[in-house]
Amino acid sequence: MKKILALLTSPRFLFFYIVLTLAIPNVALCFTEHMPVLACIANIVLPVSLYAFLMTLSAKTGRQVWCMFLIIFFAAFQIVLLYLFGRGVIAVDMFLNLVTTNPGEAMELLNNLVPAVATVFILYLPLLVLAAMSWARHRTEDKAFLKRVRRYSCYGMAVGAVFIALSYVAYPKDSDFDYRAEDHVYPANIFYNFYLACRESGRVADYRKDVADFRFNARSVHAADSAEVYVLVIGETARADNFQLYGYERETNPLLSKTDGLSVFRHVLSQSNTTHKSVPMLLAAASAEDHARLYREKSLITAFREAGFHTSFISNQQPNHSFIDFFGDEADDFVFIRSAVSVVTGDVTAQTSDERLLPYVQNILAKKRKKELIVLHTYGSHFNYRDRYPRHRARFMPDTPTEAEAKNRPSLVNAYDNTICQTDFVLHSIITMLGKSGAQAAMLYTSDHGENIFDDYRKRFLHASPTPSCHGIHVPLIVWTSASYRAEYPGVVSALNANREKDVQSSVSVFPTMLSIAGISAQCVADVMPQSLANPAFRSSKRHYLNDHNRSVTLQQAGFADIDFEQLKHWGIAQH
């Protein structure tokens, strides 16, 4: 046993152990990212040579392993990411999600990624333990070996650099494969993305200061004495595929399907598959094509306030120090109805069900204010699906097991469909309350993004993948208007119904649609008003997606595969 332990803690064994295990993501990415041969060689030769070179910087191999802990951590993170999404490097959004996702959500996900987490523990935990033991025993590597490896590793890095140069020549920016070392050499791409994430966090931190003097100069063109209530419901992870209203074979909308006054927009895509990007674009005049606008303007909540509305932002999620929080704080009343303590100590379903939003809506309506805007941020269909609805509303069974494995897809779909049924109940309850309020009322519901549920051979799951899929951005968008609103503003309702079959980008259209429905005019956002779904002259715009580096790209440039375009065609959605 002592001999085995001595071998496992030997500097030579640790040297090859770390180099080989760190090379796993490099090799895997060559296959998952479908890189050309030159790019693959560069992505393996240069980084692996660099790992070897770094390990020669100290004869105390055990200590040097721990000096490379950050690279080891990223390698583990990368393997989990590949297990979860099937492709993609650790993206800017992944780093931002680390600071904008609450601990409860993170634990729910990790609890269902046992195979991936177990794999990285098996690969890297023994390495760290053995390195610590070797370091504690002051074991050192032969200097002649280190010198020899250092020389060969320098040769390897030089060869890798040559292949990078050749890749730039062979795959220029105007080619099908746009080669960029910062995108296609691991782990350089991770450190570059980490830098971009830090820069983005800095810009977000300065937001309040940058928009302190911003004004929409908004005004209402509706009668001052008319009682009006407008509700914007932002769904979470709800994909249109599973809505009965969109042709799904299951009765997931038994209540809304029988509700009068609905305008269902059938061809809607979000411009992002991440919450922290999509929700701010829904609330502001920014879009993928003009994302920088997000940093210099406020949200529709401020526009409504300037127009004389009392405003409320009620969230069933937790604070995450993002634009969502900043925009919510613009409201007269800003409430997070969940608390970390209650979620940890109480029943998860009871604490995350969106039914908890309903008493807040009822209390606001009971105040009978003349002009009211209510923005609701739901928890919707966020994984773990089974925790998003009470047991007595489980319509599709069995809804377990829910571990993130392709073999569990039937039960995962059942649980997910139950969350859509729960959303149906919540939206119908809001509509019922608005109908009884006596006010001219309207409600717009859409989701921030969709979801993957092992839908095809790619076996993708969840959302926020660096490479989007059609299921991740195909979202519902529904507008309901009360009978009194329809009678007072028939032109608006007529325009809404006329635009139902047109191709819509939710990130572009929600902001102007809310202002149009409420009769709010603001000259500084006149440029986005033609994209209002209440505009009789609405014209579909070219599809764009906001990629991981906040660049507006086409769906093809975003990484849509042939199977995604085929599905869009099946849904009747334009691809361009």
Side-chain angles (χ1 to χ4, degrees):
M1 185 65 183
K2 289 183 178 180
K3 290 183 178 180
I4 295 176
L5 188 58
L7 173 63
L8 295 178
T9 58
S10 67
R12 190 70 53 91
F13 176 81
L14 290 174
F15 178 91
F16 287 107
Y17 187 169
I18 187 172
V19 172
L20 291 174
T21 53
L22 287 182
I24 291 175
N26 294 87
V27 175
L29 287 167
C30 287
F31 292 97
T32 63
E33 307 312 295
H34 310 295
M35 290 190 285
V37 174
L38 289 177
C40 286
I41 295 174
N43 186 53
I44 293 175
V45 174
L46 191 148
V48 174
S49 298
L50 177 62
Y51 302 149
F53 177 81
L54 292 175
M55 287 303 299
T56 67
L57 297 181
S58 173
K60 296 181 178 179
T61 307
R63 183 181 67 181
Q64 194 63 16
V65 168
W66 276 93
C67 289
M68 295 176 65
F69 177 79
L70 186 60
I71 299 177
I72 295 172
F73 173 79
F74 283 156
F77 192 170
Q78 182 63 58
I79 290 173
V80 172
L81 174 65
L82 291 177
Y83 174 86
L84 183 60
F85 295 130
R87 64 173 302 184
V89 298
I90 302 173
V92 176
D93 288 334
M94 296 294 166
F95 288 115
L96 293 175
N97 283 340
L98 291 177
V99 296
T100 60
T101 299
N102 67 67
E105 289 182 11
M107 288 307 300
E108 285 181 353
L109 179 57
L110 288 176
N111 287 340
N112 289 275
L113 293 176
V114 174
V117 174
T119 298
V120 298
F121 269 97
I122 292 171
L123 279 175
Y124 298 111
L125 185 59
L127 170 64
L128 293 171
V129 171
L130 294 172
M133 294 174 64
S134 179
W135 186 4
R137 296 179 181 185
H138 305 287
R139 303 194 66 177
T140 59
E141 182 54 87
D142 177 63
K143 292 185 178 180
F145 171 81
L146 295 177
K147 185 177 180 179
R148 186 166 61 253
V149 171
R150 190 178 301 127
R151 182 172 67 253
Y152 290 141
S153 62
C154 287
Y155 294 156
M157 287 189 288
V159 171
V162 170
F163 275 97
I164 288 177
L166 291 174
S167 297
Y168 272 106
V169 174
Y171 318 115
K173 291 184 178 180
D174 57 350
S175 65
D176 292 338
F177 184 80
D178 180 9
Y179 184 81
R180 301 170 188 243
E182 67 270 27
D183 290 341
H184 300 109
V185 178
Y186 175 93
N189 43 22
I190 293 182
F191 285 100
Y192 178 66
N193 288 346
F194 182 71
Y195 156 73
L196 293 178
C198 292
R199 188 179 69 177
E200 175 72 8
S201 295
R203 295 184 72 181
V204 172
D206 292 336
Y207 171 75
R208 283 195 173 97
K209 178 181 66 176
D210 293 340
V211 300
D213 298 325
F214 177 81
R215 296 291 183 275
F216 284 101
N217 296 319
R219 62 184 183 86
S220 173
V221 299
H222 287 178
D225 60 349
S226 63
E228 301 176 80
V229 182
Y230 302 104
V231 180
L232 171 60
V233 183
I234 301 174
E236 173 66 59
T237 321
R239 66 186 204 176
D241 322 11
N242 293 61
F243 275 64
Q244 179 185 352
L245 292 173
Y246 286 80
Y248 189 47
E249 64 273 12
R250 283 180 159 181
E251 293 185 357
T252 53
N253 304 127
L255 299 174
L256 289 178
S257 62
K258 300 175 183 177
T259 300
D260 293 330
L262 286 185
S263 297
V264 179
F265 295 83
R266 302 188 179 281
H267 304 144
V268 184
L269 299 182
S270 172
Q271 291 188 319
S272 175
N273 65 2
T274 63
T275 299
H276 74 267
K277 282 185 176 180
S278 180
V279 173
M281 288 193 292
L282 294 173
L283 290 170
S287 63
E289 301 92 304
D290 191 10
H291 185 255
R293 194 169 189 157
L294 196 64
Y295 304 99
R296 60 178 187 267
E297 295 182 3
K298 293 184 179 180
S299 78
L300 62 83
I301 294 172
T302 290
F304 272 78
R305 287 190 69 186
E306 291 180 6
F309 282 76
H310 178 271
T311 57
S312 301
F313 188 101
I314 315 298
S315 176
N316 194 26
Q317 301 202 20
Q318 292 184 3
N320 58 18
H321 312 293
S322 71
F323 278 108
I324 301 172
D325 293 6
F326 300 154
F327 289 166
D329 199 37
E330 296 174 16
D332 295 297
D333 299 316
F334 179 29
V335 181
F336 286 104
I337 66 175
R338 296 175 61 203
S339 70
V341 174
S342 65
V343 171
V344 171
T345 60
D347 175 66
V348 175
T349 301
Q351 299 299 340
T352 62
S353 171
D354 289 326
E355 286 183 51
R356 300 177 71 226
L357 292 164
L358 300 179
Y360 289 87
V361 175
Q362 186 66 63
N363 290 338
I364 293 170
L365 295 178
K367 298 184 185 300
K368 298 288 184 180
R369 298 185 183 96
K370 280 291 184 181
K371 309 287 185 182
E372 192 79 62
L373 169 71
I374 306 172
V375 179
L376 304 175
H377 191 195
T378 69
Y379 212 40
S381 302
H382 199 288
F383 189 76
N384 191 343
Y385 315 134
R386 194 170 180 269
D387 293 334
R388 306 298 170 243
Y389 52 90
R391 300 264 50 85
H392 68 275
R393 289 221 179 84
R395 186 183 184 97
F396 305 104
M397 301 296 286
D399 57 358
T400 59
T402 58
E403 286 76 20
E405 298 180 37
K407 67 180 182 181
N408 294 334
R409 186 176 191 275
S411 59
L412 286 166
V413 170
N414 285 341
Y416 185 84
D417 286 348
N418 286 335
T419 70
I420 303 301
C421 287
Q422 180 70 2
T423 296
D424 180 73
F425 170 79
V426 171
L427 294 179
H428 183 265
S429 297
I430 294 171
I431 288 172
T432 300
M433 287 188 281
L434 291 174
K436 293 178 178 178
S437 70
Q440 295 168 5
M443 181 197 76
L444 189 155
Y445 166 79
T446 192
S447 182
D448 53 358
H449 51 71
E451 184 80 319
N452 298 291
I453 317 177
F454 301 111
D455 299 286
D456 51 53
Y457 69 89
R458 294 172 295 182
K459 293 183 170 54
R460 289 190 177 184
F461 189 52
L462 302 182
H463 55 271
S465 166
T467 305
S469 74
C470 59
H471 300 285
I473 62 172
H474 183 215
V475 295
L477 197 159
I478 302 164
V479 178
W480 172 85
T481 50
S482 67
S484 59
Y485 184 96
R486 297 195 295 273
E488 186 70 22
Y489 306 107
V492 172
V493 177
S494 176
L496 288 170
N497 290 331
N499 292 325
R500 288 182 300 179
E501 299 298 327
K502 294 180 181 178
D503 292 305
V504 176
Q505 299 181 101
S506 59
S507 310
V508 177
S509 291
V510 167
F511 176 91
T513 300
M514 286 297 297
L515 266 61
S516 294
I517 291 174
I520 293 177
S521 172
Q523 190 60 37
C524 68
V525 291
D527 59 313
V528 302
M529 296 311 293
Q531 287 299 311
S532 166
L533 300 175
N535 179 4
F538 172 85
R539 294 291 182 272
S540 301
S541 58
K542 185 177 180 180
R543 296 289 189 190
H544 285 89
Y545 185 81
L546 187 67
N547 74 3
D548 185 57
H549 291 174
N550 285 345
R551 293 196 295 262
S552 178
V553 298
T554 65
L555 297 182
Q556 187 171 17
Q557 291 169 332
F560 258 42
D562 289 343
I563 192 171
D564 294 306
F565 288 116
E566 290 171 6
Q567 186 63 61
L568 289 183
K569 184 178 180 180
H570 175 72
W571 290 328
I573 297 176
Q575 304 176 13
H576 304 291

